[in-house]
Amino acid sequence: MTVTESEIEDVMATYPPKVLKNRKKHLVLKTDDCAASCPQIEANTRTVPGIISQRGCCYAGCKGVVVGPIKDMVSITHGPIGCGYYSWGTRRNKARADDKTPPEQIYTAMCFSTDMQESDIVFGGEKKLARMIDEVVEAFHPRAINICSTCPIGLIGDDLNAVAKAAEEKYGITVIPYNCEGYKGVSQSSGHHIANNQIMDKIIGTGTDELKGKYILNILGEYNIGGDGWEIERILGDIGYTVNSILTGDSAYVNIKNLHKAHLNLVQCHRSINYIAEMMETKYGIPWMKCNFIGVEATIDSLRKLAESFGDEELMARTEVVIEREIARITPALDQYRKICKGKTAFAFVGGSRSHHYQYLLRDLGMEVVVAGYEFAHRDDYEGRQVIPTIKSDADSKNIPELHIEPDPEMYEEPYLHLNLSKEKYDQMVKEGHFGYYEGMYPVMKDGTVMVDDCNHYETEELLEMFHPDLIFSGVRDKYISHKMGVPSKQLHSYDYSGPYAGFNGALIFAKDVAHALTTPAWKMITPPWEKETEKKEGDNNA
Amino acid sequence: MLDCVPDKPVAHTAGKINPIKACQPLGAMYAALGIHGCLPHSHGSQGCCAYHRMALTRHFRDPAMASSSSFTEGASVFGGGSNLKTAIKNIFQIYNPDIIAVHTTCLSETIGDDIPTIIKQSEIPEGKYVIHCNTPSYKGSHITGFSNMCKGMVSYLAGSDGSEKKRRVNIFPGFINPGDMREIKRIVSELGVSYIMYPDTTGVMDSPILPKYEMFPKGGAKIEDIIDSGNSQATLALGSWASDEPAALLQEKCKVKGIPLKLPIGVKATDDMIMAIKNEFGVEVPESLDIERGQVLDTLIDTHFHYQGKTVALFGDPDHVIAMTEFLITMGMVPKYVLTGTPGSKFEKIINGMLEDAGIEGSKVRAEGDLFDLQQWIKEESVDLLIGNSHGKYIARAEDLPFVRFGFPIMDRAVHPLMPVTGYRGCLRLIEMISDALLDRRDRDCLDEDYELVL
Ligand code: SF4
Ligand code: SF4
């Protein structure tokens, strides 16, 4: 089904005038006359106080999303107990030992917090933090440490940099401070940026390993939830690529140090990691390519695009062999689920890129996303990177420092050389948007569907009533609300403890999970038999 | 799994490693959800609110609605007054709750926002309420936050009209599941005494799927009942950490007699609650409760050899752990390591007293402890069983212990919030869970020739 502008206006009828004025700009309806380019959408601006938003904070973006999953770093939350407690193990970033990281050097199942008390808030928490670092080093011998600050820390003015520097000198290991107080910026997004800056500044480029392989890749913005990263690695390995490191799912400090040794960066989640991709291009000349391994067709497209990047016929041929093999393997089972899913509609509301990526996977199953939104995106995630120069920076985004990056005098190499392409060929591919470009979510949306930024509870409820989708993809806070509204849900942050959903194997698992969500027998039993007898209406939802 | 944890004891004095507590606002939010038609409101940056809703949603598998003042840097510098006023206005217009329950966060506490004054300056529609409590997270834990919000309910709402007290009991249930609240209400009903329970999350955090969705489900304590609670004869304060202070406040404000009790987990604690009501209201205990109690004792005697003499490591929220320790002793088990993360030195005194009375020696007890402490103790000398919230599963695996999930949060198993561990029925359930865990382990580990049908 599709909707019109006036129906969208009805959604907002309850808002006080100021809220209406604000929220209107966050909603875009795709219609024929704006099909070519996306109308401007407001994004990355403040949440209206009192609105029930799904957004988190800067700390959540920095520690919870980006740096927390680095498995061989101890991540200390500097603050009262809560923030560290809630970001403990809740993102399902899978990690395992490998030949560079033994099991005793994996800390991702642990939670470290300075547990600030009132006296620490009054007299400052630097000493307590320093003492905790001492004890952590003695007990765990980590290779490196992250320190993430929370709201009150910024206010009392603890000097994280000084504590980190002193600890570095004392122990000869890297200790990285992140001034990611929750109130910075307007959402998780600011935390991603702060984390990216520090990883770029303090880790990348410090390694001296010699990496072997003809085509060495980094996969940026992949957090290995449910093992997604491992499935992507499997496929790439079969084709003949070497995955140097994933960032930051199942990643290790010792590998991130060598990130600059790769030939190409793949960017999966654009929002959380594009900063590093860009900075690495400037500093080392390593090109980056947007990819998406969610969805069968999307995975195939990404693999082909990737093979083209190196202009190597043999690589392209090998890619086709693997694609053919995988398709033959999964198609029969996928077809079974397709029968159930075909023609169904869905909403997708998730943090960053996932609301875009999953639309491909759903299309593979014959489903269409009718409303999609991001919690913490910027305009370019909707409208495409071409709008970046036109985005005005406001007070909230100015608070996030920009690193000044220049080409590294020793390590910089022209992008085309990394790829073994001719300069002409490379330049032409850049022009075609092959490298360094992201087109945003808008092109994938159909006419009459809606894009909504920072969709809040009220709008979700209204839109659910308007569209009556068959399924909603959301986070945990929305999940059970939709159930009470009679709409099945799947969590796209945690996958409801399933996964992987990426790649070919992931597509199958996802298809099964979606089919199960749609066909759970209980959905048909919501109306009790004694009420049905009196109703007996045809086309009743619960009949 | 947890291979990084050192085998030998090391210094651990600063901060927490694998904590056994969350922060105050989480508890305040949960308590506020126990008022019908209430929207909890978090005054601070939106991150906290997002985290607290997430934590509650994961445990209860039900929506935990709450709004936030959504501070950014500006509010952090200039104060959050205008954010809160805007929020209150927007909330009433958009969501139309009957009441907003504001709690602070670290941030707004550190700035020092004066919430009562801001509330006074806000536009509050006729017949609606805004209450508040202070919940800086650099003090206490989610349990004290729960207590603080209960105090907020008492101080803003409860009143006494000066007339003779009604033959009715108030119940402050403590930070327990809706299933437990239901069970406690049932027992009090069996005793034939009318009651007001608040907060009461039954019907809110265990709400059914019905043909029509309501943002504010039917459950929760009614505001008029909370107001009228000042006219009740007595208050059962279940669990010292969660309920003592609000009961004391109600006693001071409205002269309602507060009766401090343990959470009614285990035979003795349930007995105590029933005796308290019997003594206060002069009621007879009905046969139905005799039967329930007798069934528990029958089961304890029939099954003691499944668990008697086994050592247990127990951790969680203080009120839960205190009552559970008592029940473990009743079961003939040995609480060897007992920890809570919530501060309060009387915890150690109470537990040590119980152990001493039972003649149990060599146990370790710690308030303000964490799971790193616990794991180190277990490495030094192991136990037969681990009992605690979901975070314990890592230790259970690393140290190869059978594990019973108990307390908050339980994120990796379902149905818990609906099934009571309180009252005599709760005893049966705990016996079942503990026996099963130990017997499953025995079946898993034994030799073929020892694998038996009848146990
Ligand atoms: S900032 Fe304070 S209130 Fe917020 S989550 Fe952290 S500890 Fe809790
Ligand atoms: S907003 Fe501040 S206090 Fe709240 S979770 Fe984020 S860092 Fe912690």
Side-chain angles (χ1 to χ4, degrees):
Chain A
M1 94 153 252
T2 61
V3 292
T4 60
E5 288 287 350
S6 79
E7 284 171 301
I8 293 293
E9 275 165 29
D10 288 345
V11 168
M12 306 206 181
T14 312
Y15 282 148
K18 265 198 193 152
V19 179
L20 176 67
K21 194 161 161 252
N22 177 310
R23 287 302 306 161
K24 239 166 71 179
K25 296 184 247 163
H26 291 266
L27 237 126
V28 161
L29 179 66
K30 184 155 183 177
T31 56
D32 258 342
D33 38 312
C34 58
S37 74
C38 178
Q40 188 174 325
I41 186 165
E42 187 125 303
N44 195 35
T45 58
R46 293 180 184 181
T47 315
V48 180
I51 289 275
I52 302 179
S53 160
Q54 301 301 327
R55 283 172 159 183
C57 64
C58 181
Y59 165 83
C62 179
K63 154 67 167 65
V65 174
V66 181
V67 310
I70 304 175
K71 60 187 173 186
D72 60 347
M73 289 180 89
V74 164
S75 295
I76 299 176
T77 298
H78 186 34
I81 198 70
C83 323
Y85 181 86
Y86 305 119
S87 59
W88 177 17
T90 47
R91 282 247 319 161
R92 296 189 70 230
N93 308 103
K94 294 195 174 214
R96 63 186 170 205
D98 54 35
D99 50 4
K100 279 195 183 165
T101 305
E104 61 274 17
Q105 230 135 18
I106 295 181
Y107 312 105
T108 30
M110 308 283 291
C111 169
F112 299 84
S113 162
T114 50
D115 185 23
M116 294 281 277
Q117 297 299 304
E118 190 156 31
S119 59
D120 304 321
I121 297 285
V122 176
F123 299 111
E126 290 171 19
K127 283 211 184 89
K128 190 176 195 184
L129 174 61
R131 203 164 84 231
M132 183 157 191
I133 295 174
D134 289 342
E135 294 179 358
V136 161
V137 170
E138 199 215 320
F140 297 92
H141 312 292
R143 291 164 169 166
I145 294 175
N146 295 313
I147 309 167
C148 300
S149 61
T150 67
C151 284
I153 300 305
L155 294 183
I156 64 174
D158 274 1
D159 187 347
L160 242 55
N161 286 299
V163 178
K165 196 155 166 271
E168 269 190 349
E169 279 163 12
K170 193 163 169 189
Y171 297 109
I173 60 169
T174 304
V175 180
I176 306 178
Y178 301 85
N179 287 104
C180 55
E181 293 83 4
Y183 55 75
K184 283 198 175 150
V186 299
S187 69
Q188 291 93 316
S189 179
S190 50
H192 305 147
H193 196 166
I194 289 168
N196 278 221
N197 283 351
Q198 291 295 72
I199 290 173
M200 185 69 200
D201 200 32
K202 301 270 180 358
I203 316 183
I204 298 171
T206 60
T208 51
D209 288 5
E210 280 314 317
L211 304 178
K212 283 196 205 84
K214 205 167 162 201
Y215 318 102
I216 302 174
L217 308 172
N218 300 315
I219 307 171
L220 309 183
E222 167 52 57
Y223 301 99
N224 202 33
I225 290 166
D228 279 349
W230 293 332
E231 165 67 358
I232 300 169
E233 250 180 323
R234 176 187 73 86
I235 301 165
L236 294 174
D238 280 1
I239 295 174
Y241 297 99
T242 306
V243 176
N244 173 30
S245 180
I246 296 178
L247 209 69
T248 52
D250 193 32
S251 67
Y253 171 77
V254 285
N255 298 91
I256 301 174
K257 281 166 82 166
N258 297 302
L259 226 60
H260 61 296
K261 300 284 175 69
H263 300 126
L264 177 65
N265 278 323
L266 297 182
V267 171
Q268 172 92 348
C269 173
H270 175 258
R271 183 67 268 141
S272 61
I273 218 92
N274 77 82
Y275 316 95
I276 283 182
E278 265 191 280
M279 289 189 282
M280 283 183 71
E281 175 151 20
T282 310
K283 188 163 176 182
Y284 306 109
I286 301 174
W288 66 268
M289 184 195 113
K290 176 75 180 73
C291 64
N292 172 24
F293 291 105
I294 305 294
V296 178
E297 290 303 320
T299 300
I300 292 172
D301 284 351
S302 289
L303 291 175
R304 287 186 176 141
K305 197 173 149 195
L306 176 54
E308 279 169 32
S309 302
F310 291 93
D312 179 333
E313 296 288 336
E314 210 187 302
L315 189 65
M316 292 184 208
R318 178 88 195 122
T319 301
E320 294 306 325
V321 171
V322 171
I323 290 172
E324 205 175 313
R325 180 194 76 193
E326 295 287 312
I327 292 294
R329 190 168 62 83
I330 66 164
T331 302
L334 207 57
D335 280 344
Q336 292 305 310
Y337 297 120
R338 263 195 200 118
K339 284 183 199 137
I340 296 167
C341 300
K342 201 167 182 305
K344 302 280 197 293
T345 58
F347 283 12
F349 295 128
V350 224
S353 307
R354 287 171 200 266
S355 300
H356 177 191
H357 292 161
Y358 277 83
Q359 301 200 28
Y360 298 95
L361 186 42
L362 288 162
R363 278 193 190 162
D364 290 340
L365 300 176
M367 295 174 70
E368 202 61 61
V369 167
V370 288
V371 179
Y374 298 133
E375 278 166 34
F376 49 71
H378 298 202
R379 277 181 56 202
D380 40 315
D381 300 298
Y382 299 98
E383 301 175 51
R385 282 183 71 92
Q386 65 278 7
V387 302
I388 290 177
T390 70
I391 298 176
K392 284 193 220 86
S393 90
D394 55 16
D396 296 313
S397 38
K398 276 191 198 130
N399 287 331
I400 315 304
E402 291 277 344
L403 282 192
H404 183 70
I405 300 280
E406 281 180 4
D408 186 286
E410 270 151 41
M411 293 188 269
Y412 183 86
E413 204 177 49
E414 288 296 331
Y416 64 91
L417 294 175
H418 282 279
L419 299 168
N420 228 348
L421 292 176
S422 71
K423 185 165 183 342
E424 296 70 39
K425 175 82 183 149
Y426 174 77
D427 288 344
Q428 189 205 335
M429 287 170 84
V430 170
K431 231 195 229 149
E432 289 162 359
H434 190 104
F435 297 111
Y437 181 67
Y438 173 47
E439 83 281 15
M441 179 161 74
Y442 186 72
V444 80
M445 304 287 295
K446 285 256 162 73
D447 280 352
T449 63
V450 175
M451 273 190 338
V452 47
D453 178 66
D454 183 21
C455 192
N456 57 58
H457 168 76
Y458 175 75
E459 287 162 16
T460 307
E461 215 185 291
E462 293 289 313
L463 289 164
L464 276 170
E465 270 176 16
M466 181 179 289
F467 281 92
H468 290 292
D470 297 292
L471 192 63
I472 176 167
F473 293 94
S474 67
V476 72
R477 290 180 292 268
D478 278 330
K479 178 178 179 67
Y480 301 101
I481 298 168
S482 85
H483 288 185
K484 309 278 180 205
M485 295 184 79
V487 180
S489 75
K490 289 298 299 170
Q491 292 184 67
L492 279 195
H493 296 287
S494 71
Y495 307 165
D496 289 317
Y497 324 105
S498 179
Y501 283 170
F504 300 105
N505 288 337
L508 255 193
I509 297 170
F510 180 82
K512 180 191 83 197
D513 288 353
V514 168
H516 283 179
L518 290 168
T519 56
T520 300
W523 287 117
K524 291 214 169 82
M525 300 168 71
I526 290 175
T527 309
W530 47 91
E531 275 177 33
K532 259 192 207 159
E533 268 182 13
T534 47
E535 268 179 29
K536 278 225 172 104
K537 251 194 309 184
E538 224 172 279
D540 185 348
N541 242 355
N542 303 321
Chain B
M1 184 56 58
L2 299 191
D3 291 302
C4 59
V5 174
D7 284 328
K8 304 243 157 43
V10 288
H12 172 38
T13 61
K16 293 280 180 288
I17 304 176
N18 298 347
I20 316 178
K21 64 171 178 181
C23 65
Q24 290 215 62
L26 172 76
M29 187 181 281
Y30 181 54
L33 287 163
I35 306 176
H36 174 74
C38 179
L39 191 70
H41 180 82
S42 168
H43 184 54
S45 346
Q46 67 210 1
C48 312
C49 185
Y51 272 142
H52 303 141
R53 292 182 62 206
M54 176 193 85
L56 292 172
T57 303
R58 287 216 163 109
H59 174 84
F60 294 102
R61 301 195 194 219
D62 242 17
M65 303 307 284
S67 53
S68 160
S69 290
S70 293
F71 280 30
T72 52
E73 199 130 25
S76 311
V77 176
F78 301 114
S82 77
N83 284 52
L84 184 52
K85 282 180 227 165
T86 310
I88 289 174
K89 190 167 162 231
N90 287 339
I91 290 166
F92 278 125
Q93 176 141 4
I94 300 168
Y95 309 108
N96 194 27
D98 299 330
I99 178 168
I100 299 172
V102 181
H103 59 260
T104 55
T105 64
C106 299
L107 180 55
S108 52
E109 282 292 331
T110 311
I111 307 170
D113 275 350
D114 176 4
I115 310 294
T117 307
I118 303 171
I119 292 177
K120 275 194 204 103
Q121 294 165 349
S122 299
E123 288 172 43
I124 303 172
E126 191 63 32
K128 306 264 174 176
Y129 298 85
V130 179
I131 65 174
H132 104 284
C133 70
N134 290 85
T135 45
S137 312
Y138 37 79
K139 271 193 207 162
S141 77
H142 58 296
I143 297 300
T144 46
F146 182 92
S147 173
N148 284 338
M149 184 51 86
C150 295
K151 280 199 278 182
M153 293 175 199
V154 171
S155 68
Y156 273 86
L157 300 173
S160 112
D161 54 21
S163 58
E164 203 187 320
K165 296 292 182 203
K166 294 182 184 162
R167 191 173 180 280
R168 183 180 63 200
V169 67
N170 301 323
I171 306 167
F172 290 170
F175 194 121
I176 54 175
N177 284 326
D180 292 312
M181 296 184 184
R182 251 177 233 288
E183 183 62 8
I184 292 166
K185 290 195 286 186
R186 186 186 66 83
I187 293 171
V188 175
S189 301
E190 296 268 304
L191 287 162
V193 176
S194 67
Y195 60 82
I196 293 171
M197 177 180 277
Y198 71 94
D200 176 1
T201 57
T202 62
V204 181
M205 297 311 287
D206 62 354
S207 66
I209 289 188
L210 296 170
K212 174 130 182 63
Y213 165 77
E214 299 289 346
M215 183 173 161
F216 300 103
K218 276 214 173 70
K222 297 213 177 63
I223 297 171
E224 65 256 33
D225 287 341
I226 300 177
I227 294 172
D228 198 35
S229 69
N231 296 316
S232 298
Q233 182 177 325
T235 302
L236 303 185
L238 305 183
S240 186
W241 269 255
S243 305
D244 273 4
E245 289 191 17
L249 186 64
L250 187 60
Q251 177 157 348
E252 189 189 304
K253 187 178 178 192
C254 304
K255 309 275 173 303
V256 180
K257 177 177 168 190
I259 306 174
L261 290 163
K262 285 197 251 333
L263 279 180
I265 293 171
V267 181
K268 281 192 194 161
T270 305
D271 289 351
D272 289 348
M273 183 179 81
I274 290 170
M275 281 306 284
I277 292 180
K278 180 177 164 24
N279 291 339
E280 181 64 31
F281 296 94
V283 291
E284 286 298 311
V285 178
E287 199 191 348
S288 58
L289 291 177
D290 284 342
I291 292 172
E292 280 180 28
R293 188 175 187 280
Q295 285 169 332
V296 176
L297 293 172
D298 187 56
T299 307
L300 283 170
I301 287 162
D302 293 349
T303 59
H304 70 276
F305 51 88
H306 295 167
Y307 44 74
Q308 194 161 347
K310 302 274 189 201
T311 53
V312 184
L314 169 66
F315 70 92
D317 298 332
D319 296 332
H320 270 88
V321 169
I322 287 170
M324 187 64 164
T325 301
E326 188 175 66
F327 188 47
L328 290 174
I329 292 171
T330 303
M331 291 173 76
M333 300 184 79
V334 182
K336 182 140 178 79
Y337 306 129
V338 186
L339 292 92
T340 188
T342 300
S345 55
K346 65 182 174 196
F347 176 83
E348 293 177 9
K349 231 177 102 205
I350 294 170
I351 301 284
N352 281 322
M354 286 177 171
L355 294 171
E356 209 181 298
D357 289 348
I360 296 170
E361 283 171 12
S363 293
K364 287 188 177 178
V365 181
R366 182 168 292 171
E368 287 193 74
D370 58 25
L371 293 178
F372 181 73
D373 294 332
L374 177 59
Q375 195 175 356
Q376 289 214 311
W377 292 350
I378 291 171
K379 278 183 186 295
E380 236 170 83
E381 192 184 346
S382 192
V383 289
D384 299 311
L385 180 69
L386 177 66
I387 301 180
N389 67 39
S390 287
H391 289 296
K393 77 188 288 182
Y394 289 92
I395 297 183
R397 182 169 168 119
E399 308 303 331
D400 194 25
L401 298 175
F403 177 41
V404 167
R405 284 165 182 79
F406 170 76
F408 176 92
I410 296 173
M411 303 177 282
D412 59 337
R413 293 291 186 273
V415 198
H416 279 82
L418 291 92
M419 306 299 282
V421 293
T422 46
Y424 300 125
R425 288 185 180 175
C427 291
L428 293 178
R429 186 155 164 262
L430 287 172
I431 297 169
E432 185 187 14
M433 289 196 294
I434 290 170
S435 300
D436 286 359
L438 291 166
L439 294 177
D440 282 347
R441 179 54 62 106
R442 173 172 163 168
D443 281 343
R444 190 197 83 176
D445 291 349
C446 72
L447 299 171
D448 272 358
E449 56 269 39
D450 296 327
Y451 193 63
E452 293 176 83
L453 183 66
V454 186
L455 284 168

